[in-house]
Amino acid sequence: HRSSPRRRRSMSRRYDSRTTIFSPEGRLYQVEYAMEAISHAGTAVGILSSEGVVLAAEKKLTSKLLEPSKSSEKMYMIDEHVACAVAGITADANILVNYARQAAQRYQYTYQEPMPVEQLVQALCDTKQGYTQYGGLRPFGVSVLYAGWDKQHGYQLYCSDPSGNYGGWMATSIGASTQAAQSIMKQDYKAGEMTLKDALQLAVKVLAKTCDSTSLTADKLDIATVTMRDGHVSYTPLPEASTQKLLDAVQAEASTGDA
């Protein structure tokens, strides 16, 4: 006989107190709850182009009285050739970013060359996975987008979640409104044809359409690029004036499209 919905709910509650226990349906509820927490965070998008990688994120201002932070809470430089954007609990993200920076420096010190991007992502995801398998630990409430360049594979974009899973992407998003952002990118992303300018415009367009606030302004966006300059990888946060120009262009395009 089938169990009632109420009984199924009470059964599921027995299995959600620890990360180390599977439910009868084969689910790890605490990991799923961590992903749910991320779905309420500010959106971040990553877009791969032939000239570099674009990371863009929406800054959520919780109060008008808060002084703007001196450094970005959504974007972090891990090493000279790798940067990341995060969505979720910022304090958790700080721990992971510090771990990634140490791993990158250890590799540099040992082998005298930059750490391959995927190897760095894998090292971080192994740590994340450990927090879903040992008692007394909770998963990191953070999803991360990694943008980087290495001599093996050129420009790369990866995304990882609290379970420790990761994947390579041409364009993806994390945080709130992920499905809406993904559908816009599926429509507008042209594989193999995207320039850095195209990628920047698409990133701003996605955030403009999925952002919570009615009027999106440049101070609510964090945008950075990973590109090559004079033979060196360069991580460049976009100044507010450049962000405003992109935003104006996207809004002008949207208004002509509506007309």
Side-chain angles (χ1 to χ4, degrees):
H1 69 283
R2 288 186 173 183
S3 57
S4 68
R6 183 181 291 179
R7 189 172 170 212
R8 281 203 298 273
R9 279 201 299 273
S10 67
M11 275 179 69
S12 75
R13 287 202 187 109
R14 285 187 222 164
Y15 298 97
D16 68 1
S17 60
R18 295 186 187 166
T19 54
T20 52
I21 297 177
F22 282 100
S23 77
E25 300 97 55
R27 291 162 69 179
L28 291 169
Y29 284 103
Q30 284 295 318
V31 177
E32 289 182 25
Y33 296 161
M35 291 181 190
E36 184 61 29
I38 291 158
S39 71
H40 302 297
T43 313
V45 300
I47 299 172
L48 195 64
S49 79
S50 56
E51 300 167 348
V53 192
V54 172
L55 293 174
E58 172 201 351
K59 288 189 276 191
K60 286 207 170 178
L61 300 171
T62 50
S63 168
K64 287 180 182 176
L65 300 175
L66 264 177
E67 189 180 335
S69 61
K70 304 292 181 284
S71 60
S72 170
E73 289 182 1
K74 299 287 284 181
M75 305 278 184
Y76 299 87
M77 184 176 173
I78 294 175
D79 199 357
E80 287 178 353
H81 67 300
V82 190
C84 70
V86 300
I89 302 168
T90 309
D92 285 12
N94 287 333
I95 301 293
L96 286 174
V97 167
N98 282 340
Y99 176 85
R101 285 171 174 168
Q102 286 172 351
Q105 292 308 308
R106 276 197 296 267
Y107 188 97
Q108 177 79 40
Y109 181 75
T110 307
Y111 301 106
Q112 299 298 307
E113 65 175 20
M115 190 172 188
V117 180
E118 188 172 358
Q119 197 173 331
L120 179 58
V121 173
Q122 200 168 3
L124 202 60
C125 288
D126 288 348
T127 301
K128 279 197 192 189
Q129 189 276 334
Y131 278 73
T132 69
Q133 204 170 2
Y134 299 106
L137 305 175
R138 71 160 174 80
F140 286 97
V142 175
S143 276
V144 187
L145 293 175
Y146 312 82
W149 182 94
D150 61 39
K151 62 185 182 184
Q152 286 86 2
H153 301 292
Y155 294 114
Q156 293 154 76
L157 174 68
Y158 295 95
C159 176
S160 72
D161 63 33
S163 67
N165 276 336
Y166 75 91
W169 292 81
M170 288 185 279
T172 189
S173 74
I174 53 176
S177 312
T178 294
Q179 282 182 321
Q182 296 274 33
S183 66
I184 295 167
M185 289 191 284
K186 262 184 202 169
Q187 266 184 320
D188 293 5
Y189 185 85
K190 296 175 181 66
E193 297 175 29
M194 298 290 283
T195 63
L196 192 67
K197 189 182 175 185
D198 294 336
L200 282 164
Q201 284 177 334
L202 179 55
V204 173
K205 180 181 176 180
V206 168
L207 290 178
K209 287 196 175 178
T210 59
C211 189
D212 285 344
S213 59
T214 48
S215 59
L216 189 63
T217 53
D219 62 329
K220 289 179 186 164
L221 292 179
D222 256 345
I223 302 176
T225 60
V226 175
T227 54
M228 284 294 266
R229 268 193 200 161
D230 306 323
H232 296 285
V233 186
S234 170
Y235 167 71
T236 315
L238 240 67
E240 213 167 281
S242 302
T243 304
Q244 189 60 54
K245 274 184 193 171
L246 285 166
L247 200 53
D248 291 343
V250 166
Q251 285 166 347
E253 188 188 319
S255 59
T256 52
D258 292 342

